[in-house]
Structures are given as C-alpha cells and as structure tokens.
C-alpha cells in the first residue's frame, strides 16, 4: 500500500490540530476566535474518525456527519449568544463576561 | 364566726363524744369553686383589656353564663342584708344599683360589665366554698373522726416504690384552715369590691385573688407533701402577681420579684426535706409518714441527725413562706400590693402556711427536739426583732407588716415549743384581728387618697403623720381597729389575750421544766430551761412592744387634731358597706374568737361548753397531734404535769397595759406634726430602727451584689468563651468558603483550562491503568 497515506501521519495531524484548537480556547480572548478554535478541535476528531474507519468499520464515517451537524448547531446558537452579549457589552472580549463569578 | 356560733347550737344535739366516722360533703368543690372563679374572671379581664383598645370601643355583649352567675351571686348579696350606711357619692349608688343588671349599670355610668361581674363571681364562689366548708365542719363535729379522711382522685406519680396520688385530706387541722381561708377570704373579697372597683385592672385583681384561694386550699387540703407543695408554689406565684399588681411602677415590680425570690430560697429547703423523707421513709403522704415515725426498727431515731435535718429543712421552707429570720425581708416590701392583698395573703393565709407545715409535721418535729428548739428560738428572735422595727415605721401598712412578722414569730415559738394548739390558736385569732387591722388601714388609705386627690396634694396618703383625728370621720373603722388593737395587745377578754398568753405561758412552763420539749431535750443531752427562759423574756418584751406600736399607730391615726389639711378634711369619709361590713365582722371575731380555746374551769366557758359552742381547740386538734404524742411516748418522755399559775397571765396583762399606757403617755399629750415637720427619726437608735437595722442594705451587699458580680462573670464567660468558640468555628467555615471562592473567577478561559487539565488527568490515569 505504498500509495496510501500512513495511519500515523493522519493521527499525528489530528493530534496537532486538536492541540492547536485547545490552546486557542484556553489562551485567546476573542469570543469568535474561541468558537473557531472549538471548530478546530471538532474537525481534528473528525479526521481521526475518518483515518481509523478502514480498520474499525464504517461507523466512524457515519459519526463524522453527526459531529458536523452538532458543530453547526453549536456555532449557530453560540454566535447568536455572542451577538446578544455584544449588543449589551459592545465587546467580544470574554474578560468582560464575568457575571457568574463569586 | 358569728354564723358558726349560732349554727353550732343547732348541731349540738348531733354531737357525740365517741370517735366515729366522717364522710365529707362535696370536698372537691371547695377547691374547684375558686378555680372556676379564676377562669371566669380571667376571661373577663382579657375582655376588659381588649375593650380598652381603641378598635374595640363598642360595648361588649353580655354572656348567658355571666347572667346565671349574676343571679347566684345576687342571692349571696341579699343574704348580707341592706346597706347599713347610705353611700355618700354617686358612683357608690351606681355601683350598688348595677349588680345583676348590666344594661342598667352601663346606662348609669362608667362601669362596664367586666367590672360588675367579677364582684359577684369572685365573692360568690368563695362564699359558696365557705358554706360547703361550714357544712363539712358540722359533719366533722358530729362524726368526731380520729383518723383523717383521705381521698385519691387520680394517681399522680407512680414511680417505682413511690406512689403519690392527687389526694385530698380532711381532718381537724385542715378543716380549721379551710374555714379560715374561705371565711376571712370571703370578707376580704367583699372588701375588695369597694376598694378596687375603680381600678382598671379590677377583673385581673379578682382573678388573681381567686387563683390564690385555689392554691391556698390545695395547700391546706393536700394529703401529701407533694400536693401541698403544689399549693405552696402556687401561692408564691399569686403572691408575686398580687404584690406587683401595680407593676408599672418599678418599686412595686421589684417588691414582687423580691417576694418571689426569697420564697424560692425557702422552697429549696422544703424540697430537700421531701427528698430526705422519701430517701429514709419511702413515703410522702401524711398518713404514711406518721405511721413510719413510730415503726419499730424504723429508719428515723428520736433525736437522730436525719430526722433533725428533715425538720430543719422543713423549717427553712417555713421561714421563707412565713417571713421569719433570715427570710423575712420580703414581707414589708409586699405592702406595695393593694391593701386587700396584704390582709389576705400577708396577714391571714399565705404567711401562716409555714406554721401549718410545722403543725402538719408535728410527729417529725416532736422526734427532733433540737430542731424544735431552733424553731422556737428563731420564732422568739423574730418576734422581738420585728416588733422593735415596728416601733419606728411611719407607713401605716409597714407598721402592720412588721407586726405580722412579729406575730408569726409568736406562732413559731409556740409550735417550736411543742405547743401546737397554742400556735394554731394564735394563727386563727391573728387572722381575725390582723385582717381587720389591714382592712381598716385600707379604709383609712382609701379615704386619705380621696381627700388628697381631691385637692391634688402630693402628701403621702399612707404616712401616719399626715393623718390624725380620723375617728370623727371614720367612726366604724376607728372602733373596729380599736378592738383589733386591744386584741393584739393582749387585753382580756379579747382574742389575742388568750392565744398569745397561751404561747407565752408555754414558754413559762418550759422555763419551769413543765414542757415536753424540755424533757425531750434532756433525753438527747441538752438543757432547755435556760433557752426557754430567754424565749419567755423575748416573747414578753415583744408583747410589750406590740402594745406600744399598736397604740402609737392608733394615736397617730385617729386621735389628736386632724393633720390632713383644711381643704382636704372635708373629703374624709367612711367607705361603702363593702368596706365597713368586713371590718365589723372581723372585729366581732376578734372579740369572740378567744373563747374557742379556753380552759373549762372558767365559768363562762363551762356554760358555752354545755351549749356545745366552746369546744376546746385543744380537744379538737387532738387527733391531728396524735403522732407527736405517740413519738414522745415511744421515746419514754412522760407528758409533763403542768401547774397553772396566775403569774405569767398577770405579767402579760401588765405588759399589754403598760405598752398601751406608755404609747398614750408619750404621744397623746404631745402635739403631733405632719410628715414635712416631723423628721423620720431623731437620734441614732431611732435611725437604726427606722432603717430596719440596715438588714436590706446588708443583704444587698452580701447577697444581691455578689450574685450580680457572679451573673456578670458568667455572662462574660458565656459571651467570650462559649460564644467565642462557636463564633470561631463559624468564622473558620467562612474563611474556608472565602478561600475556596477564589477559584470562581467567572472567566471562561479558566474554566476551560480546568476542564482540560481534568480530562488530561483522567486520560493519563486510564492509560496507566491500561498499561
């Protein structure tokens, strides 16, 4: 199978993408970019599912569609909330979203 | 007592000399009636309080039950006959007309039904109780029982071997006490109608009086020490409520608290005695205790330490209730209450509970001759101590208060010497003349208050220096108080002469080694004759002082020129019949009461005995005093052979006459001055007497203030140690919460980071586990 991308390469890329997304969620302060980082993590998982499907069965590919649907819904609801808060706070910096603290 | 003497003639035919059976008639009702009166008057006082509020300004409606009580009380009212003296003022006329007709009373003036009904309810239930007691007295005379009638209504404390029932006991002693409580109590309730009717708290006052009678009857009719103790504590409660009846003034409220606390100290002794009795005898009912005293091989030994301790602790309880040294200090301050309270509770009934307790426990005290000697010594000391204070008091009620403490000392000297009949005799006669004196002082104060109030004078209505010449304005009060004064001074043939002389005579007999107590003391290795001589001397001096201070009181109040004031004088007058009728009845009892216990050799008494009137009190009380006689017989102490001599009687008469004569000689010829001109005291001895030997100050310094310090110390401990510990725990929890709260930053980044760390940690753990 010299013409096929090796499994290790796919999983490695998936791990790198997930790490970049997680770092973004923890470090970035822009709410919209935060959502983009969440998308990175979700798509990294999708890549892992697809990479493993030839070995574990077709369920992985089916699951990818579920994840894409949930991500779409999450992005829609999340962005709606961000727009509402923006109208109230006039900022997308999450440092200003701290009403629920002690 | 007049009714008693008249009715007794008809019952003479039924009397039999042999001991027989006695079945009482409605005994529980004697106690229940005052309780019902308390409930009814309590409801009326609540209604009156509500009507005083602006929201309830409308006239209250009548109650059918109240109407029935009106009819019943109206009958009792008519039995007293018409008013001997027409009332001088409109409000008395309205009050007289208002009975039984609420609308009529309301239409005529300010008296709402809540001020009319209590008069008939409170007095009616008491007269009914007195009638039942009288009927039972005649039954008892006819039956001549030698053992007490005891009835258990329900089992109260069945605990292990202890079985205390809610029981009543009717014997000669409790019958006598019941007659005194209900008879004198009825008269004082009638007096209260005229004296207190203008007071806004009148229904509450009558409710308290009825409640007091209920507890007092529980005390004297109880069949065991625990039941007696219920009444004992109850009368203490009512004493507190009634002394502090005008509690809006701090001095009155303080006097109530003082009475409550001092009585409580004495009650502690009562409890200890009960515990010792149960521990050693196993029984607490009077019959059971008396049986155990002479049981062969019993736990108590004649003159032993345990029985002596029991007797002394009972005496401590008696000291508190009957105002003896060292627990007498509450009684003079109890004069803060309304005068009918002083007459009823602090002269005739409650303060005699201690004497009753000692007589009821005569078997125990006979078994403890040293304790009996202590009782006699304390009684004699109290008699002379209180009498000396009474010499220099200006408040008319304070003079009578110290007189009461002194006369109670006489009673305790009597019962302490084993002369139980003499002590009870003086208790009874004292109830007559001291109640008459207190009610008379109430009539004087009532009149003085009206006079001084009419001109808005701020002179003290109770200071004798502001009185004088009142016999022209209050003739009935003057004559009745005069008779009572002669009675208490011991002038023959009045009641106090016989009863007091019997006590002093017992001391004389003891000093001449003719007293059972002296023989008992000798059998335990003590010599009593010296003590008895001292007791006799103290009682004689106290008798002399009694005549003097009573004479002084009468002179300052009724003789000489009137010092009330030119304009005030016109308002001095006798009160309504409800104030004067009890005075007349009690004065008559003071005259006649002495013949109830006179030796049969006196010709007039022999004639009375033939009619069945003058049965000797000594003979009457013999079944009750049988335990002490049995104890003495078992201890081998023979009944002393008493040789009657005229010497102590003559000495007593001379002392009484000398006391009165000295008072007259010192004061009648002198121009007496009002309070603003006459100083309270002139020299050092007078100042000491006026300040009551500074005993109140001493108690304040050695008892009250240390208790205050101890209270503040304990309060500090409670605040800084106990509360401090609890607060420390609270603050630690608070700090931990504060520290833990720091984690809540409110930042999404922080929460995401924590979740990420958690996920990595869990995955690492799972991976390690898998490997």
């Amino acid at each position: 199978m010299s013409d096929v991308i090796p499994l290790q390469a796919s999983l490695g890329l998936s791990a790198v993408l997930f790490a970049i997304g997680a770092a973004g969620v923890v470090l970035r302060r822009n709410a919209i970019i935060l959502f983009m980082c969440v998308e990175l993590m979700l798509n990294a998982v999708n890549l892992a599912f697809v990479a493993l499907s030839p070995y574990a069965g077709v369920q992985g590919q089916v699951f990818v569609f579920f994840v894409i649907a949930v991500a779409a819904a999450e992005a829609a609801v999340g962005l709606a909330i961000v727009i509402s808060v923006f109208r109230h706070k006039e900022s997308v910096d999450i440092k200003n979203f701290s009403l629920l603290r002690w | 007592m007049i009714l008693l003497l008249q009715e007794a003639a008809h019952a003479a035919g039924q009397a039999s000399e042999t001991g027989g059976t006695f079945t009482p008639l409605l005994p529980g009702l004697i106690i229940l009636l005052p309780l019902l009166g308390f409930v009814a008057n309590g409801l009326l006082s609540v209604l009156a309080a509500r009507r005083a509020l602006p929201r309830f300004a409308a006239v209250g409606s009548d109650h059918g039950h109240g109407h029935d009580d009106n009819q019943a009380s109206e009958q009792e009212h008519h039995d007293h006959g018409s008013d001997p003296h027409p009332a001088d003022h409109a409000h008395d006329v309205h009050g007289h007309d208002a009975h039984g007709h609420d609308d009529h009373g309301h239409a005529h003036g300010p008296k709402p039904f809540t001020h009319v009904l209590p008069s008939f309810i409170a007095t009616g239930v008491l007269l009914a109780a007195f009638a039942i007691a009288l009927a039972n007295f005649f039954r008892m005379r006819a039956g001549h029982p030698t053992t007490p009638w005891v009835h258990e209504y329900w089992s109260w404390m069945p605990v292990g071997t202890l079985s205390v029932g809610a029981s009543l006991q009717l014997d000669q002693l409790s019958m006598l006490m019941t007659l005194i409580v209900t008879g004198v109590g009825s008269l004082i309730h009638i007096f209260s109608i005229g004296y207190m009717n203008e007071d806004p708290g009148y229904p509450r006052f009558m409710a308290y009086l009825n409640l007091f009678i209920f507890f007092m009857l529980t005390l004297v009719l109880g069949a065991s020490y625990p039941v007696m103790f219920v009444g004992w504590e109850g009368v203490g409660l009512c004493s507190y409520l009634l002394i502090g009846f005008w509690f809006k003034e701090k001095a009155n409220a303080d006097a109530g608290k003082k009475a409550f606390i001092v009585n409580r100290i004495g009650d502690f002794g009562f409890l200890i005695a009960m515990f010792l009795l149960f521990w050693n005898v196993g029984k607490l009912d009077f019959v059971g205790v008396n049986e155990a005293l002479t049981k062969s091989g019993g736990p108590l030994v004649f003159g032993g330490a345990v029985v002596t301790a029991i007797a002394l602790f009972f005496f401590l309880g008696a000291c508190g209730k009957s105002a003896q040294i060292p627990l007498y200090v509450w009684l003079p301050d109890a004069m803060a209450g309304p005068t009918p309270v002083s007459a009823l509770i602090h002269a005739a009934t409650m303060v005699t509970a201690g004497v009753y307790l000692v007589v009821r426990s005569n078997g125990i005290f006979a078994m403890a001759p040293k304790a009996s000697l202590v009782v006699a010594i304390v009684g004699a000391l109290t008699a002379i101590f209180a009498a000396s204070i009474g010499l220099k008091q200006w408040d008319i009620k304070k003079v009578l208060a110290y007189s009461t403490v002194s006369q109670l000392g006489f009673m305790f000297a009597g019962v302490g010497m084993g002369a139980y009949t003499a002590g009870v005799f003086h208790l009874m006669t004292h109830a007559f003349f001291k109640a008459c004196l207190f009610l008379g002082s109430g009539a004087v104060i009532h009149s003085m208050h009206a006079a001084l109030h009419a001109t808005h004078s701020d002179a003290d209505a109770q200071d004798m220096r502001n009185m004088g010449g009142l016999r022209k304005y209050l003739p009935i009060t003057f004559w009745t108080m005069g008779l009572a004064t002669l009675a208490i001074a011991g002038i023959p043939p009045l009641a106090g002469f016989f009863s007091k002389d019997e006590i002093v005579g017992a001391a004389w007999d003891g000093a001449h080694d003719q007293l059972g107590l002296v023989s008992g003391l000798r059998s335990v290795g003590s010599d009593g004759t010296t003590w008895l001589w001292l007791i006799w001397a103290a009682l004689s001096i106290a008798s002399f002082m009694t005549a003097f201070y009573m004479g002084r009181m009468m002179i300052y109040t009724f003789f000489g020129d009137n010092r009330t004031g030119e304009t005030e004088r016109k308002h001095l007058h006798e009160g309504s019949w409800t104030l004067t009728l009890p005075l007349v009845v009690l004065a008559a009892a003071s005259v006649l009461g002495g013949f109830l216990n006179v030796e049969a050799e006196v010709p007039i008494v022999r004639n009375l005995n033939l009619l069945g009137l003058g049965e000797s009190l000594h003979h009457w009380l013999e079944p009750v005093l049988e335990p002490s006689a049995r104890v003495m017989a078992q201890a081998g102490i023979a009944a002393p052979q008493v040789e009657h001599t005229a010497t102590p009687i003559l000495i007593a008469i001379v002392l009484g006459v000398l006391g009165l004569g000295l008072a007259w000689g010192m004061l009648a010829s002198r121009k007496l001055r009002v309070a603003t001109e006459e100083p309270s005291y002139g020299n050092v001895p007078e100042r000491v007497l006026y300040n009551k030997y500074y005993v109140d100050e001493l108690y304040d310094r050695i008892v009250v203030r240390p208790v205050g310090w101890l209270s503040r110390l304990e309060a500090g401990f409670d605040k800084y140690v106990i509360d401090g510990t609890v607060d420390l725990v609270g603050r630690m929890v608070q700090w931990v919460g504060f520290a833990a709260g720091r984690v809540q930053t409110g930042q999404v980044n922080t929460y995401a980071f924590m979740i990420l760390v958690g996920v990595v940690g869990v995955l690492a753990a799972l991976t390690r586990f898998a490997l």
Side-chain angles (χ1 to χ4, degrees), chain A residues 31 35 74-88 97:
Chain A
F35 275 105
E74 177 261 344
V77 173
L79 288 175
I81 293 174
V82 168
I83 290 171
S84 296
V85 173
F86 175 79
R87 287 175 180 163
H88 184 68
F97 308 161

Side-chain angles (χ1 to χ4, degrees), chain B residues 4 41 65 77 128 166 170 177 182 194 348 351 367 415 428 432 465 519 540 542 550 552 613-614 619 627-628 644 760:
Chain B
L4 178 65
N41 287 324
H65 178 72
H77 172 70
L170 253 183
M177 294 297 295
T182 54
V351 289
M367 215 168 185
V415 298
M428 183 182 64
F432 298 149
R465 291 169 289 187
S519 306
S540 298
M550 290 306 303
R552 169 178 173 270
L613 293 177
H619 182 63
S628 60
H644 288 292
V760 171

Side-chain angles (χ1 to χ4, degrees), chain B residues 166-399:
Chain B
S167 307
L168 289 190
Q169 173 168 321
L170 253 183
D171 57 11
Q172 287 82 353
L173 178 62
S174 51
M175 176 59 67
L176 180 70
M177 294 297 295
T178 301
L179 286 173
I180 293 173
V181 171
T182 54
V184 176
S186 294
L187 294 170
I188 291 168
H189 275 67
I190 294 170
F191 185 92
S192 302
I193 296 172
Y195 192 84
M196 294 293 294
N197 197 246
E198 300 298 326
D199 193 284
Y202 177 67
R204 175 166 61 98
F205 181 79
M206 286 313 217
Y208 288 164
L209 277 192
N210 273 163
L211 183 65
F212 168 80
I213 296 291
F214 163 72
F215 279 123
M216 190 67 203
L217 289 170
T218 303
L219 195 157
V220 301
L221 288 171
S224 63
Y225 287 105
V227 176
M228 182 195 222
F229 193 71
V230 170
W232 192 272
E233 290 296 308
V235 294
L237 166 69
C238 294
S239 178
Y240 160 78
L241 291 171
L242 285 158
I243 292 169
F245 182 76
W246 290 314
F247 53 82
K248 292 179 178 177
E249 288 187 34
K250 186 176 188 300
N252 299 334
D254 286 347
K257 283 188 286 184
K258 188 176 187 180
F260 211 23
I261 292 168
V262 176
N263 271 255
R264 195 89 265 284
I265 294 170
D267 298 348
F268 171 77
F270 196 131
L271 282 170
I272 296 294
M274 272 205 283
F275 298 155
L276 283 173
L277 205 53
F278 173 67
W279 189 256
N280 289 276
V281 175
K283 294 178 188 298
L284 287 173
D285 58 301
F286 300 137
V287 175
V289 167
N290 287 332
E291 285 169 357
L293 291 178
T294 48
K295 189 184 297 181
S296 58
L300 302 180
V301 180
F302 186 90
V306 173
V307 70
T308 302
I310 293 173
L312 287 176
F313 275 118
F314 271 134
F315 181 52
L316 176 59
C319 278
K321 200 62 75 186
S322 297
Q324 297 291 287
I325 295 175
L327 299 177
Y328 72 93
V329 289
W330 66 272
L331 180 47
D333 291 317
M335 299 301 108
T339 305
V341 174
S342 308
L344 178 64
I345 295 181
H346 309 122
T349 53
M350 182 181 105
V351 289
T352 62
V355 181
Y356 173 79
L357 170 63
V358 174
V359 179
R360 177 58 73 196
S361 314
N362 63 87
I364 294 173
F365 279 90
M367 215 168 185
K370 286 183 177 175
S372 292
L373 183 63
V374 168
V375 174
I377 292 170
V378 171
L381 271 180
T382 306
I384 191 169
F385 183 83
S388 61
I389 297 178
L391 298 173
K392 203 56 190 178
Q393 298 300 310
W394 293 109
D395 186 322
I396 187 171
K397 286 177 67 174
K398 289 287 175 63
V399 175

Side-chain angles (χ1 to χ4, degrees), chain A residues 4-17 44 47-48 50-52 55:
Chain A
V4 180
I5 299 172
L7 181 62
Q8 290 81 1
S10 300
L11 290 183
L13 180 59
S14 171
V16 168
L17 283 177
L47 179 56
V50 170
L52 288 165
Y55 307 94

Side-chain angles (χ1 to χ4, degrees), chain A residues 12-86:
Chain A
L13 180 59
S14 171
V16 168
L17 283 177
F18 189 90
I20 293 171
V25 167
V26 169
L27 297 175
R28 297 304 296 267
R29 292 170 54 171
N30 189 298
I32 297 176
I33 293 178
L34 219 74
F35 275 105
M36 295 166 70
C37 294
V38 171
E39 288 292 325
L40 269 181
M41 290 191 287
L42 290 171
N43 284 290
V45 171
N46 287 342
L47 179 56
F49 272 127
V50 170
L52 288 165
S53 66
Y55 307 94
V58 73
Q59 299 94 322
Q61 299 184 22
V62 173
F63 220 94
V64 164
F65 288 105
F66 278 104
V67 170
I68 291 173
V70 168
E74 177 261 344
V77 173
L79 288 175
I81 293 174
V82 168
I83 290 171
S84 296
V85 173
F86 175 79

Side-chain angles (χ1 to χ4, degrees), chain B residues 275-634:
Chain B
F275 298 155
L276 283 173
L277 205 53
F278 173 67
W279 189 256
N280 289 276
V281 175
K283 294 178 188 298
L284 287 173
D285 58 301
F286 300 137
V287 175
V289 167
N290 287 332
E291 285 169 357
L293 291 178
T294 48
K295 189 184 297 181
S296 58
L300 302 180
V301 180
F302 186 90
V306 173
V307 70
T308 302
I310 293 173
L312 287 176
F313 275 118
F314 271 134
F315 181 52
L316 176 59
C319 278
K321 200 62 75 186
S322 297
Q324 297 291 287
I325 295 175
L327 299 177
Y328 72 93
V329 289
W330 66 272
L331 180 47
D333 291 317
M335 299 301 108
T339 305
V341 174
S342 308
L344 178 64
I345 295 181
H346 309 122
T349 53
M350 182 181 105
V351 289
T352 62
V355 181
Y356 173 79
L357 170 63
V358 174
V359 179
R360 177 58 73 196
S361 314
N362 63 87
I364 294 173
F365 279 90
M367 215 168 185
K370 286 183 177 175
S372 292
L373 183 63
V374 168
V375 174
I377 292 170
V378 171
L381 271 180
T382 306
I384 191 169
F385 183 83
S388 61
I389 297 178
L391 298 173
K392 203 56 190 178
Q393 298 300 310
W394 293 109
D395 186 322
I396 187 171
K397 286 177 67 174
K398 289 287 175 63
V399 175
L400 297 174
Y402 282 104
S403 175
T404 296
V405 177
S406 181
Q407 299 305 307
L408 289 162
F410 274 89
M411 297 174 208
F412 275 103
V415 298
M417 291 185 284
Y420 302 108
T421 303
V424 173
F425 188 27
H426 197 55
L427 181 159
M428 183 182 64
T429 58
H430 179 262
F432 298 149
F433 52 69
K434 190 48 70 58
C436 182
L437 288 165
F438 265 115
L439 294 185
S441 75
V444 168
I445 292 166
H446 191 265
S447 183
M448 291 284 294
H449 251 299
L452 299 176
H453 186 70
T455 60
H456 308 292
S457 171
D458 59 357
D460 188 353
Q462 298 186 191
D463 195 315
M464 300 188 298
R465 291 169 289 187
N466 299 330
M467 300 175 184
L470 293 184
R471 71 183 188 280
K472 288 180 289 186
Y473 306 95
L474 296 96
I476 298 176
T477 305
F478 165 68
W479 281 106
T480 51
M481 284 186 82
L483 284 173
T485 294
L486 295 176
I488 195 177
I491 305 299
L494 302 180
F497 164 69
F498 293 109
S499 60
K500 188 186 293 185
D501 178 60
E502 197 163 323
I503 293 174
V504 182
W508 177 274
D509 294 340
H512 291 80
D513 199 0
Q514 297 173 19
L515 200 65
L517 175 64
V518 176
S519 306
L521 287 167
R522 185 171 299 114
S523 72
V524 297
S526 297
D527 176 32
T529 52
T530 305
W531 283 113
L532 269 297
W533 269 117
L534 290 173
I535 290 170
W536 176 82
L539 293 180
S540 298
I541 296 171
S543 297
F544 170 76
M545 288 181 175
T546 299
F548 180 87
Y549 65 66
M550 290 306 303
R552 169 178 173 270
M553 184 205 74
M554 290 296 289
I555 290 168
Y556 261 98
T557 306
F558 292 106
F559 289 91
D561 296 327
N562 177 254
R563 302 181 293 279
T564 310
E566 292 292 336
T567 52
E568 288 85 357
R569 197 168 297 152
K570 290 187 274 291
H571 300 276
L572 292 171
H573 63 89
E574 203 70 87
S576 68
W577 67 269
T578 56
L579 269 71
T580 51
L581 174 66
L583 291 175
V584 173
V585 175
L586 288 167
S590 303
V591 173
L592 300 170
F595 295 112
L596 289 178
N597 189 41
V598 183
E599 300 299 329
E601 292 80 30
V602 181
I604 186 173
V605 178
R606 189 182 303 113
N607 293 333
L608 288 173
N609 277 330
L610 291 176
L611 293 174
L613 293 177
E615 177 177 356
S616 169
L617 183 66
H618 182 80
H619 182 63
W620 172 258
L621 289 176
E622 265 177 9
V624 181
L625 303 177
E626 185 263 347
S628 60
R630 185 157 36 92
V631 163
M632 300 289 265
Q634 194 186 58

